[in-house]
């Protein structure tokens, strides 16, 4: 084949119809000329015409061979198949509609889930070469152990595997000066961070080495802050902003969309200078662990090698500084993306698998429908076969039809998915990492197309193979449309239905377990009264608020808030339940020693006297804090029931003394336990009650939130609260305003989300499986109408017919349920981490789901059976 | 196939049809029907051309760039598509013709060695 001809074939691709017309015109003209010559040589007109035709030869062959010249054969046949397929689909609108809707639901749901998987797990982080970025953590239990500056400096200096290493930690500021005071969330970063990320500020400059030294009071603003607070004014560069009453010069603004840490909400970034000037031991305490570290691997260095290098350094440091580093003999290196999304990977993939499972059920349904439909086309297929189409061609055409159906369903499904994605993002729990990356991009579309094709192949291949095997003579001889492969087809269809039912049962069991789990979780008693509780934070930065001034402010604020008519009581608190704040400190127990080197670390909270009453936490023994607990009176502490039970199991805890080591510097006194209060679930509904102790605000004035028990709806009190605070100091910002019910709801948002999704899929699976059963039984009835007529004619009653039909259907359902139970027992183990107080093999759930499925299946069998029983035997006997 | 009056009509080899068409066009543009008649006439009715088989060949020749086509009006005031030889077509004709003649000489040498001067 010369290239010239191939090229002209390509060029002719779009002109094919015109070329065909052209050729026909030419042939006509040729025939007319020949005819004219024949007439001129004396032939009569009729004979002239036919002689010309004969002389021309096989016109169809000439046309076809000419056509072969300007096109590729396979394109022609492909287009033929496509057109034919479209016609067939239009001829059966019922089947086509049902199939497209089923496919759209299945493919759409799966694509929507994939867009979440794509956005969260697959999309690379928005920095150059993101797969070389790793998070470096100190070893120990739990995730993300922070490191101290001294250790960080050693890591940075001694490693050979990272081209760059930077530290960061969060900080809060109050922005005053221009306009209303604002609470700022910031990150204090080491100077090489932006260079490491390879991101430049959009205006101004980034940090340089010297900016980490004392005296460099500079900040870089986030684009959002610059836009909202400074109205995108470029002249803010070089200006001073007041943070915590200290002046900082703005040296740059980051581009829009940039955020670091990737899942954070930093309004601005400061350099290390802030820490150097802070006056605390942050720069000198090797145990002062606050920093997160991010590093970029050198080109060609693997994670394994980096791990080995850093472990060596860690051991060296542990040896050199046993006081602080003895426990940190290894370093944990985790790719940055993993750190962000590692813990949602499994749930997401589980949900995706569920979506695919539903799609599988849909495929089985359509395959069944297809098989049934193709039986009625048996004659057409046999005819084509007799005319010369070989089996491969017929198979290809049937498959093409099914692929077309799948693509149509997929296109519809993708549109549905677009909406589904929006709903997903709306319903997703707030702490879902990288949720803003969820959307339809090319990967999602490619997935939808690929899924459609695979789906089409899945449900189309089987019917295509089966139908193209139609025996020609058998089918054409029979008067009716039935194919002679009825028996094996029937078994095939039954098998598909059994599979559907089994799969549906597995999904429904999963959904049922999650629903039970969620219901049980949401009914857990958190240990306090969650209604009508308003909470908010406020900033009292030093300067000018030193410790004493802070305590003073709170002590004056609370009575004023309590005087408001909508407020029942007010208190200040350090670690509010469900707010995400949890702090622990080591505690010594008087008269008790534990294993050498071990001090129990117990949760601590700091509260004002009104706290327990405000929260509705019951007092079980002793007393709560009062105004008589002052900095100069006896140091006291209140413990919760869990602590009392754990450490004083056979005696009263009142009067005993413990010594919490709260601050690293000052010597802490022994404190007397004066009261025991009820337990609260500090960290979440799913956890068990933990020991906790409370320090009085007067003797330990640390707080983070104010809580109010309101008379009516909590949020309506906000304006009044703001007014009160503003009347005391206009420069104190109020932020993070929320109700306890909100916090509670957020805390179980994840469980709620996965329950919702799986419940939806489960319902879909149930619907599809039931439709599948109905289809099979209905079809079987229509096939056996003749046989039923005979049975009724020889004496079978209505009940017998019902029993016959329903019996067959229920057999399929029961076998499916049985197989499903076996499968579910094996598979539900994988979601045990998502379950609360429900075993993966919970018999009640299994039984309930099985019964539901069987009941619904019964209805699905009953309807067509009833139709069969109502048939007039005479009509049935005449039916083919 | 139509019954032929002369039993000596030979089936045309597919490839050589190209050569004949090009040769026919040497004397100027002709339409398809004219090409068919021309070949028959020039070969003294020996070569039987099924008219229909011309058209695929004409397509192929166009694709190779050896001929071009244009709609025109015949002397009988009928619309017809006229084909014309291109410069490349001319060169191709020369090449094909010489190849054919070499082919014929070779066969002749084998069939009748004494006539061509070769000793058996």
């Amino acid at each position: 084949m010369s290239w010239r001809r191939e090229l002209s074939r390509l060029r002719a691709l779009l002109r094919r119809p015109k070329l065909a017309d052209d050729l026909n015109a030419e042939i006509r003209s040729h025939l007319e000329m020949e005819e004219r010559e024949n007439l001129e040589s004396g032939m009569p007109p009729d004979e002239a015409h036919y002689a010309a035709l004969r002389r021309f030869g096989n016109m169809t062959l000439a046309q076809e061979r000419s056509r072969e010249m300007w096109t590729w054969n396979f394109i022609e046949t492909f287009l033929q198949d496509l057109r034919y397929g479209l016609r067939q689909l239009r001829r059966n609108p019922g089947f086509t509609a049902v199939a497209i809707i089923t496919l759209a639901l299945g493919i759409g749901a799966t694509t929507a889930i994939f867009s979440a998987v794509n956005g969260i797990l697959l999309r690379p982080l928005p920095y150059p070469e993101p797969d070389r970025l790793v998070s470096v953590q100190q070893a120990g239990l739990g995730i993300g152990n922070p490191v101290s500056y001294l250790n960080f400096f050693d890591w940075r200096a001694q490693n050979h595997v990272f081209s760059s290493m930077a530290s960061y930690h969060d900080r809060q500021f109050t922005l005053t000066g221009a306009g209303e005071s604002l609470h700022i969330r910031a990150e204090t970063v080491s100077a090489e961070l932006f260079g490491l990320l390879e991101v430049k500020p959009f205006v101004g400059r980034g940090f340089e080495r010297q900016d980490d030294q004392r005296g460099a009071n500079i900040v870089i603003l986030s684009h959002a802050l610059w836009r909202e607070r400074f109205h995108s004014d470029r002249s803010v560069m070089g200006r001073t902003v007041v943070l915590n009453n200290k002046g900082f010069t703005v040296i740059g603004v980051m581009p829009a969309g940039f955020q670091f840490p990737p899942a954070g909400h930093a309004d601005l970034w400061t350099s290390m200078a802030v820490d150097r000037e802070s006056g605390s031991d942050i720069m000198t305490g090797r145990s002062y662990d606050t920093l997160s570290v991010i590093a970029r691997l050198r080109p060609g260095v693997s994670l394994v090698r980096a791990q080995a290098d850093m472990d060596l350094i860690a051991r060296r440091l542990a040896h050199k500084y046993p006081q602080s580093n003895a426990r940190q003999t290894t370093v944990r290196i985790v790719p940055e993306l993993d750190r962000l999304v590692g813990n949602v990977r499994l749930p997401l993939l589980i949900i995706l698998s569920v979506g695919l499972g539903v799609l599988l059920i849909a495929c089985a349904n359509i395959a069944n429908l297809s098989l049934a439909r193709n039986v009625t086309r048996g004659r057409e297929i046999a005819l084509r076969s007799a005319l010369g189409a070989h089996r491969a061609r017929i198979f290809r055409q049937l498959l093409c039809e099914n692929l077309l159906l799948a693509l149509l369903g997929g296109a519809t499904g993708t549109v549905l998915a677009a909406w589904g994605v929006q709903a997903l993002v709306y319903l997703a729990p707030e702490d879902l990492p990288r949720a803003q990356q969820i959307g339809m991009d090319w990967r999602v579309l490619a997935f939808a197309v690929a899924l459609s094709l695979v789906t089409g192949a899945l449900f189309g291949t089987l019917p295509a193979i089966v139908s193209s095997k139609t025996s020609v003579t058998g089918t054409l001889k029979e008067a009716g449309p039935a194919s002679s492969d009825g028996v094996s087809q029937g078994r095939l269809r039954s098998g598909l239905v059994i599979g559907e039912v089994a799969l549906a049962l597995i999904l429904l069991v999963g959904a049922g377990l999650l629903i039970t789990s969620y219901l049980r979780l949401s009914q857990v008693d958190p240990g306090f009264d969650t209604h009508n509780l308003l909470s908010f934070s406020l900033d009292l930065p030093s300067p000018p608020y030193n410790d004493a001034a802070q305590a003073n402010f709170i002590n004056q604020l609370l009575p004023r808030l309590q005087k408001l008519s909508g407020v029942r009581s007010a208190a200040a608190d350090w670690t509010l339940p469900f707010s995400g704040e949890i702090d622990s400190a080591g505690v010594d127990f008087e008269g008790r020693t534990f294993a050498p080197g071990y001090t129990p670390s117990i949760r601590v909270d700091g509260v004002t006297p009104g706290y327990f009453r405000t929260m509705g936490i019951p007092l079980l023994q002793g007393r709560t804090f009062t105004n008589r607990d002052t900095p100069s009176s006896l140091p006291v502490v209140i413990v919760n029931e869990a602590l009392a039970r754990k450490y004083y199991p056979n005696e009263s805890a009142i009067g005993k003394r413990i010594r919490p080591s709260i601050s690293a510097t000052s010597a802490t006194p022994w404190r007397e336990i004066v009261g025991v209060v009820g337990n609260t679930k500090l960290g979440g509904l799913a956890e068990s009650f933990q020991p906790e102790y409370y320090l009085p605000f007067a003797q330990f004035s640390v707080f983070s939130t104010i809580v109010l028990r309101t008379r009516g709806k909590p949020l309506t009190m906000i304006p009044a609260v703001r007014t009160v605070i503003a009347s005391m100091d206009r420069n104190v910002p109020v932020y993070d305003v929320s109700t306890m019910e909100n916090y509670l709801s957020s805390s179980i948002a994840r469980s709620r989300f996965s329950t919702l999704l799986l419940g939806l899929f489960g319902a879909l699976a149930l619907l599809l499986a039931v439709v599948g059963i109905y289809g099979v039984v209905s079809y079987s009835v229509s096939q056996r109408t003749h046989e039923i007529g005979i049975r009724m004619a020889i004496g079978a009653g209505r009940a017998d017919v019902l029993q016959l039909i329903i019996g067959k259907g229920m057999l399929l359902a029961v076998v499916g349920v049985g197989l499903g139970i076996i499968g579910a027992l094996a598979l539900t183990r994988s979601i045990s981490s998502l379950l609360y107080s429900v075993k993966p093999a919970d018999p009640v759930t299994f039984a309930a789901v099985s019964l539901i499925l069987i009941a619904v299946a019964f209805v699905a069998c009953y309807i067509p059976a009833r139709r069969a029983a109502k048939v007039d035997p005479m009509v049935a006997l005449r039916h083919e | 196939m139509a019954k032929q009056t002369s039993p000596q009509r030979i089936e045309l080899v597919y490839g050589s049809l190209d050569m004949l068409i090009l040769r026919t066009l040497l004397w100027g543009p002709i339409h398809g029907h004219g090409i068919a008649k021309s070949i028959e006439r020039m070969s003294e009715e020996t070569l039987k051309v099924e008219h229909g088989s011309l058209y695929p060949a004409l397509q192929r020749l166009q694709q190779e760039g050896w001929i071009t086509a244009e709609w025109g009006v015949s002397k009988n005031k009928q619309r017809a598509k006229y084909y014309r030889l291109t410069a490349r077509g001319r060169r191709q004709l020369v090449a094909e013709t010489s190849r054919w003649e070499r082919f014929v000489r070779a066969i002749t040498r084998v069939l009748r060695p004494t006539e061509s001067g070769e000793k058996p």
Side-chain angles (χ1 to χ4, degrees):
Chain A
M1 284 296 150
S2 80
W3 63 266
R4 202 176 289 269
R5 288 181 59 196
E6 296 305 317
L7 193 60
S8 74
R9 266 188 208 188
L10 197 61
R11 281 204 306 258
L13 209 55
L14 294 171
R15 291 170 23 229
R16 284 180 0 269
K18 181 166 177 304
L19 287 170
D21 287 340
D22 213 55
L23 180 66
N24 289 341
E26 203 182 345
I27 293 179
R28 259 201 315 275
S29 129
H30 181 120
L31 287 172
E32 279 167 12
M33 283 194 244
E34 181 73 10
E35 201 177 321
R36 173 189 292 257
E37 265 187 29
N38 286 342
L39 283 173
E40 280 168 10
S41 65
M43 281 194 217
D46 268 356
E47 208 188 310
H49 182 69
Y50 286 119
L53 282 174
R54 278 200 305 268
R55 193 74 194 82
F56 191 86
N58 190 340
M59 189 173 344
T60 313
L61 195 61
Q63 282 170 327
E64 272 185 20
R65 294 249 301 276
S66 303
R67 187 172 298 220
E68 266 174 38
M69 292 293 149
W70 68 61
T71 182
W72 286 285
N73 214 24
F74 72 87
I75 290 190
E76 286 294 308
T77 49
F78 176 67
L79 287 174
Q80 254 180 8
D81 285 346
L82 218 59
R83 274 197 293 266
Y84 190 73
L86 266 173
R87 264 209 308 274
Q88 285 300 104
L89 289 179
R90 260 208 298 268
R91 274 216 310 30
N92 283 308
F95 166 81
T96 310
V98 168
I100 290 186
I101 292 177
T102 312
L103 283 169
L105 285 174
I107 295 181
T110 313
T111 304
I113 300 294
F114 180 78
S115 72
V117 169
N118 178 48
I120 298 177
L121 300 178
L122 295 179
R123 269 213 189 141
L125 290 171
Y127 315 116
E129 283 191 78
D131 51 322
R132 306 300 292 166
L133 294 173
V134 295
S135 154
V136 187
Q137 301 155 11
Q138 231 161 212
L141 302 157
I143 318 168
N145 286 325
V147 71
S148 65
Y149 268 112
L150 285 180
N151 279 337
F152 165 66
F153 291 144
D154 283 334
W155 284 3
R156 195 170 58 174
Q158 296 178 22
N159 85 83
H160 305 108
V161 287
F162 297 120
S163 60
S164 185
M165 200 189 232
S167 71
Y168 59 99
H169 69 96
D170 62 343
R171 237 176 202 290
Q172 324 270 356
F173 290 107
T174 312
L175 176 69
T176 50
E180 175 179 304
S181 307
L182 196 59
H183 174 78
I184 297 279
R185 282 183 290 197
E187 292 285 325
T188 297
V189 304
S190 64
E192 58 270 277
L193 179 73
F194 296 122
L196 185 153
L197 296 174
E198 294 180 26
V199 178
K200 280 198 172 34
F202 138 83
V203 54
R205 68 171 181 89
F207 291 135
E208 282 146 31
R209 250 303 146 92
Q210 62 266 27
D211 296 326
D212 274 346
Q213 301 309 316
R214 295 183 83 102
N217 296 321
I218 51 182
V219 289
I220 296 181
L221 305 178
S222 72
H223 195 95
L225 183 68
W226 179 60
R227 202 180 48 232
E228 283 158 17
R229 179 66 174 210
F230 299 98
H231 311 295
S232 305
D233 182 7
R234 283 198 188 218
S235 72
V236 75
M237 298 290 305
R239 275 222 304 249
T240 307
V241 294
V242 180
L243 297 168
N244 285 8
N245 277 327
K246 191 165 171 191
F248 287 83
T249 315
V250 176
I251 62 163
V253 178
M254 293 310 282
F258 172 81
Q259 183 52 255
F260 187 84
H265 305 96
D267 298 311
L268 53 83
W269 294 271
T270 74
S271 70
M272 215 190 279
V274 178
D275 284 335
R276 285 195 195 272
E277 304 197 1
S278 70
S280 70
D281 322 342
I282 191 172
M283 303 301 297
T284 55
R286 201 168 270 273
S287 299
Y288 202 121
D289 300 334
T290 57
L291 301 177
S292 306
V293 174
I294 185 172
R296 187 178 276 280
L297 287 168
R298 282 232 170 98
V301 172
S302 69
L303 268 180
V304 174
R305 210 182 120 200
Q307 181 78 54
D309 192 61
M310 290 305 293
D311 281 345
L312 199 62
I313 297 176
R315 277 199 295 275
R316 206 182 298 151
L317 289 175
H319 189 80
K320 192 164 175 198
Y321 306 104
Q323 274 283 54
S324 52
N325 283 40
R327 288 255 187 91
Q328 337 287 2
T329 48
T330 59
V331 161
R332 197 160 158 254
I333 301 186
V334 171
E336 180 70 5
L337 186 60
D338 265 8
R339 179 185 73 89
L340 280 175
V341 302
N343 62 342
V344 296
R345 185 169 279 139
L346 186 63
L348 272 180
L349 290 178
I350 289 180
I351 296 178
L352 188 63
S353 318
V354 168
L356 288 172
V358 170
L359 193 57
L360 221 61
I361 298 180
C363 282
N365 255 357
I366 299 180
N368 252 339
L369 283 176
S370 237
L371 278 173
R373 190 176 125 248
N374 285 349
V375 164
T376 54
R377 288 169 69 182
R379 295 195 82 195
E380 166 220 328
I381 295 174
L383 207 63
R384 292 173 68 197
S385 184
L387 283 175
H390 42 259
R391 201 175 141 203
R393 182 80 209 284
I394 297 181
F395 169 79
R396 210 173 62 211
Q397 191 271 317
L398 286 174
L399 189 61
C400 190
E401 210 174 298
N402 283 322
L403 285 176
L404 187 61
L405 194 60
L407 282 171
L408 286 173
T412 318
T414 307
V415 171
L416 287 180
W419 288 329
V421 165
Q422 285 184 359
L424 212 72
V425 172
Y426 177 72
L427 292 170
E430 269 161 28
D431 62 342
L432 193 65
R434 305 191 75 202
Q436 66 274 30
Q437 299 277 4
I438 299 179
M440 309 272 277
D441 69 355
W442 68 266
R443 258 192 228 98
V444 176
L445 288 174
F447 177 81
V449 169
L451 194 64
S452 306
L453 289 176
V454 168
T455 307
L458 256 175
F459 75 74
T461 312
L462 204 56
I465 291 181
V466 166
S467 301
S468 58
K469 263 201 313 212
T470 308
S471 100
V472 176
T473 45
T475 311
L476 287 178
K477 266 201 285 197
E478 276 181 40
S483 123
S484 57
D485 283 326
V487 172
S488 68
Q489 268 205 30
R491 267 207 285 271
L492 192 58
R493 305 190 66 207
S494 301
L496 282 171
V497 168
I498 291 179
E500 274 185 66
V501 171
L503 212 51
L505 186 102
I506 294 177
L507 293 180
L508 282 172
V509 162
L513 286 174
L514 279 175
I515 291 177
T516 314
S517 169
Y518 175 71
L519 287 176
R520 291 204 185 152
L521 190 64
S522 59
Q523 282 167 358
V524 167
D525 174 20
F528 59 95
D529 184 0
T530 59
H531 301 102
N532 292 342
L533 269 182
L534 178 71
S535 81
F536 59 90
S537 296
L538 40 86
D539 269 354
L540 299 174
S542 70
Y545 288 95
N546 59 10
D547 285 352
Q550 281 192 21
N552 202 23
F553 186 93
I554 296 295
N555 288 332
Q556 290 191 3
L557 176 64
L558 292 179
R560 283 194 206 199
L561 288 175
Q562 227 157 263
K563 280 216 199 73
L564 290 174
S565 65
V567 176
R568 283 228 190 103
S569 68
D573 178 31
W574 182 18
T575 57
L576 190 69
F578 300 110
S579 65
E581 311 261 349
I582 297 184
D583 256 302
S584 312
V587 176
D588 289 320
F589 287 78
E590 186 172 53
R592 187 99 74 97
T593 48
F594 298 93
Y598 168 72
T599 316
S601 179
I602 303 183
R603 288 182 178 175
V604 57
D605 195 2
V607 301
T608 55
Y611 177 75
F612 300 109
R613 188 187 47 190
T614 308
M615 294 291 282
I617 299 174
L619 177 69
L620 299 175
Q621 282 182 48
R623 66 170 179 88
T624 62
F625 298 131
T626 65
N627 288 332
R628 276 170 299 165
D629 296 308
T630 65
S632 49
S633 69
L634 179 70
V636 291
V637 67
I638 291 179
V639 301
N640 72 352
E641 197 184 346
L643 189 151
R645 255 195 231 181
K646 183 167 180 188
Y647 294 101
Y648 302 102
N650 300 316
E651 45 184 349
S652 164
I654 307 286
K656 303 283 188 296
R657 304 212 301 173
I658 62 175
R659 183 175 58 186
S661 42
I662 285 291
S663 116
T665 51
S666 58
T668 49
W670 285 97
R671 294 179 172 273
E672 183 174 318
I673 300 178
V674 295
V676 179
V677 293
N679 296 318
T680 59
K681 298 225 181 230
L682 196 59
L685 286 175
E687 63 166 30
S688 54
F689 288 122
Q690 301 286 318
E692 195 176 350
Y693 62 97
Y694 300 87
L695 299 171
F697 184 73
Q699 295 176 354
F700 181 76
S701 28
V702 175
F703 79 102
S704 68
T705 38
I706 310 284
V707 267
L708 303 178
R709 166 113 17 225
T710 61
R711 289 190 208 280
K713 284 209 186 314
L715 292 173
T716 56
M717 293 306 304
I718 297 175
V721 166
R722 284 191 194 270
T723 312
V724 168
I725 294 176
S727 73
M728 291 177 62
D729 184 343
R730 273 183 50 244
N731 279 333
V732 169
V734 174
Y735 59 98
D736 279 354
V737 181
S738 188
T739 65
M740 185 51 67
E741 279 170 338
N742 267 354
Y743 277 127
L744 205 62
S745 171
S746 293
S747 78
I748 49 175
R750 214 172 256 208
S751 174
R752 187 170 53 228
F753 185 60
S754 34
T755 304
L756 203 65
L757 279 182
L758 245 53
L760 218 62
F761 281 135
L764 207 56
L766 181 64
L767 184 66
L768 289 173
V770 160
V771 165
I773 295 179
Y774 174 82
V776 153
V777 173
S778 184
Y779 179 72
S780 150
V781 161
S782 69
Q783 289 294 91
R784 298 168 77 176
T785 311
H786 193 76
E787 172 199 341
I788 293 173
I790 294 179
R791 284 178 189 258
M792 289 183 88
I794 58 175
R798 231 180 127 238
D800 298 311
V801 172
L802 277 175
Q803 200 178 10
L804 178 71
I805 304 291
I806 295 182
K808 167 156 189 252
M810 291 311 293
L811 181 65
L812 293 178
V814 167
V815 172
V817 164
L819 284 175
I821 289 180
I822 296 176
L825 282 172
L827 288 174
T828 50
R829 238 186 297 259
S830 61
I831 60 169
S832 57
S833 58
L834 300 174
L835 297 178
Y836 174 76
S837 121
V838 178
K839 282 203 298 287
D842 180 41
V844 172
T845 311
F846 272 75
V849 166
S850 307
L851 282 173
I852 293 177
L853 201 50
I854 290 185
V856 177
F858 182 81
V859 172
C861 293
Y862 181 71
I863 297 177
R866 209 163 65 113
R867 229 183 23 234
K870 278 207 286 213
V871 155
D872 176 5
M874 290 315 296
V875 171
L877 279 173
R878 266 180 266 143
H879 192 272
E880 311 262 355
Chain B
M1 293 292 167
K3 289 265 170 25
Q4 302 309 316
T5 49
S6 162
Q8 287 160 331
R9 285 198 172 194
I10 306 163
E11 289 278 5
L12 266 175
V13 177
Y14 193 60
S16 37
L17 184 56
D18 293 358
M19 199 172 48
L20 298 177
I21 296 176
L22 292 177
R23 184 73 174 84
T24 316
L25 290 177
L26 198 56
W27 295 309
I30 321 180
H31 51 64
H33 184 245
I35 295 175
K37 288 295 176 193
S38 186
I39 293 177
E40 285 172 2
R41 221 181 22 248
M42 289 197 304
S43 72
E44 295 163 12
E45 303 293 317
T46 310
L47 292 176
K48 162 185 82 170
V49 175
E50 198 177 65
H51 290 189
S53 66
L54 270 181
Y55 288 96
L58 285 169
Q59 283 290 328
R60 196 173 55 246
L61 295 176
Q62 277 183 62
Q63 282 185 333
E64 294 280 10
W66 297 330
I67 61 177
T68 58
E70 204 173 28
W71 279 97
V73 181
S74 76
K75 53 189 184 316
N76 289 323
K77 304 289 192 297
Q78 266 175 310
R79 262 196 96 215
K81 205 171 189 188
Y82 280 83
Y83 294 90
R84 179 195 297 271
L85 199 60
T86 64
R88 291 191 61 237
R90 215 175 288 268
R91 283 197 295 274
Q92 177 71 10
L93 177 60
V94 168
E96 281 285 313
T97 312
S98 63
R99 200 150 49 90
W100 173 260
E101 284 170 357
R102 275 203 308 276
F103 174 64
V104 167
R105 270 205 301 279
I107 300 248
T108 313
R109 266 204 292 274
V110 172
L111 288 178
R112 303 186 190 167
T114 49
E115 278 195 12
S116 66
E118 301 266 327
K119 292 280 195 307

